[in-house]
Amino acid sequence: MSSRLSLRLSRLLNMVPYLLAHPGISAAEAAAELGVTTKQLMSDLNQLWMCGLPGYGPGDLIDLSFSEESIEVTFSAGIERPLRLTSTEATALLVALRSIVEMPGMVDPTAAHAAIAKIESAIASTDAVVKPVEVPVEKPVVATVRAALADVRALRLVYYSASRDEVSERIVDPIRVVLVDNNSYLQAWCRQAEGVRLFRFDRIEDATELDEPAHPPSHAANDAAALDLFQDDPAVPLARLRIRADYAWVLDQYPMHRIESRADGSIEAGMRFASPDWMARLLLGFGTGVTVLGPPELVAAVRMRADAALAAYAAAGLVGGTEPA
């Protein structure tokens, strides 16, 4: 709650100088620039109308003339300039901008670097020299996805799914770009899966903007569960695993859920998987730290790969990973 109030206060304090610099701007245009809905903007304007200097008489309160067609500040109560950043605030903003510009699809890199240059110039001392920064070229796939979002158009994606270890083609209705676990994703309604899915930008191999409007279902944008990268889909097989106590860290690194803790310190856990071959390769990488308990087809796949590896060692004259004398 306090975070939302703080954000609103900052927005209100910056709205007056912004509106003074854009007299007659429409509510829709101002809302888009300020990153809020038109309804929220009108609520903010009504709040501003009741703010001002102590005394709170007609000559003390901020005065506005506003409707959805036009907004104009007729009395600013002294709030003519935007808030100035402190050195600490500017540094924090620069760090955040530099971090987010490296995430594909999150922002227009040209606009972000322009903002970085302005902030650096504003905080630089008179004798300091701000070195020009080379703006990275945005990958065509990323630019296409961002353009489709802006144009509200459907997309045809060629996408590599790591969990299935396969490349597929699908048509999606873009919703937004989100940041999850330090990776940027396109959140979209997948027509093939008939559900909201996340598509990691660095796994989108190709993207084509279609000449048809995007029309995700009305409930899709508010589907908070869709931000979970590994939803517990009962249609996907569940592996039952026994994890040795000293391998408990894998629970934090992989989409597993704890089922039972055993007396010897080991943990039984479950993990959804789409491809038995992919899952078998993953589990063999843990050696004896993780043992697969089920389902039977996954147990068989792991055993077959393990036997094949031992046979290859034997054929090469290597037993137990050591060279013969």
Side-chain angles (χ1 to χ4, degrees), residues 15 44 68 74 82 90 113 128 130 140 156 195 205 229 232 271 304:
M15 277 179 67
D44 287 345
E68 291 201 3
T74 54
H113 277 280
V130 178
R156 177 180 287 108
E205 298 189 356
L229 299 181
D232 196 21
M271 178 176 172
M304 182 179 67

Side-chain angles (χ1 to χ4, degrees), residues 6-300:
S6 178
L7 288 172
R8 190 179 191 194
L9 175 60
S10 298
R11 188 169 67 245
L12 291 174
L13 290 172
N14 282 286
M15 277 179 67
V16 176
Y18 171 79
L19 295 173
L20 282 169
H22 302 83
I25 190 171
S26 71
E29 291 173 314
E33 287 288 333
L34 295 169
V36 296
T37 63
T38 302
K39 181 180 179 181
Q40 180 64 61
L41 178 76
M42 299 304 287
S43 175
D44 287 345
L45 291 172
N46 277 299
Q47 183 75 41
L48 269 177
W49 206 14
M50 304 301 294
C51 297
L53 300 170
Y56 308 109
D60 304 313
L61 296 174
I62 294 171
D63 200 5
L64 305 163
S65 171
F66 62 93
S67 66
E68 291 201 3
E69 288 72 36
S70 175
I71 305 170
E72 200 157 345
V73 178
T74 54
F75 180 67
S76 66
I79 307 180
E80 279 95 17
R81 293 188 301 174
L83 294 174
R84 293 185 180 277
L85 295 173
T86 66
S87 176
T88 301
E89 290 170 336
T91 301
L93 186 56
L94 283 173
V95 170
L97 278 171
R98 290 188 186 282
S99 297
I100 202 169
V101 80
E102 295 174 1
M103 301 292 179
M106 295 300 296
V107 294
D108 180 345
T110 302
H113 277 280
I116 289 171
K118 288 181 181 179
I119 296 170
E120 288 178 334
S121 297
I123 64 175
S125 60
T126 54
D127 58 346
V129 176
V130 178
K131 296 180 180 179
V133 179
E134 184 178 348
V135 179
V137 177
E138 190 171 38
K139 292 182 178 179
V141 165
V142 177
T144 298
V145 172
R146 287 201 309 104
L149 273 165
D151 298 339
V152 196
R153 298 280 186 181
L155 279 167
R156 177 180 287 108
L157 300 181
V158 176
Y159 186 73
Y160 169 69
S161 173
S163 62
R164 296 178 182 273
D165 194 21
E166 66 181 16
V167 176
S168 62
E169 183 175 311
R170 60 188 80 195
I171 295 176
V172 303
D173 299 295
I175 298 172
R176 61 171 70 91
V177 175
V178 296
L179 186 64
V180 181
D181 292 339
N182 294 319
N183 287 300
S184 52
Y185 294 81
L186 169 67
Q187 184 185 19
W189 177 265
C190 177
R191 298 183 185 178
Q192 177 180 324
E194 296 185 343
V196 179
R197 295 292 184 270
L198 292 178
F199 300 95
R200 200 165 120 174
F201 269 93
D202 59 0
R203 293 177 182 164
I204 301 176
E205 298 189 356
D206 191 29
T208 304
E209 183 176 345
L210 303 180
D211 190 23
E212 61 177 283
H215 47 79
S218 57
H219 64 81
N222 298 319
D223 187 359
L227 295 180
D228 183 358
L229 299 181
F230 306 100
Q231 299 177 59
D232 196 21
D233 184 354
V236 179
L238 176 68
R240 290 189 302 108
L241 312 170
R242 184 171 67 245
I243 302 168
R244 218 168 59 197
D246 56 334
Y247 270 71
W249 55 267
V250 303
L251 288 164
D252 297 323
Q253 299 293 324
Y254 295 88
M256 300 178 181
H257 63 273
R258 188 186 299 257
I259 296 174
E260 179 186 358
S261 296
R262 301 190 174 187
D264 61 357
S266 65
I267 301 161
E268 185 174 336
M271 178 176 172
R272 297 285 178 186
F273 67 96
S275 166
D277 287 340
W278 179 88
M279 192 65 178
R281 290 200 303 271
L282 174 69
L283 294 173
L284 284 171
F286 296 131
T288 59
V290 179
T291 303
V292 59
L293 305 176
E297 60 269 22
L298 180 60
V299 174

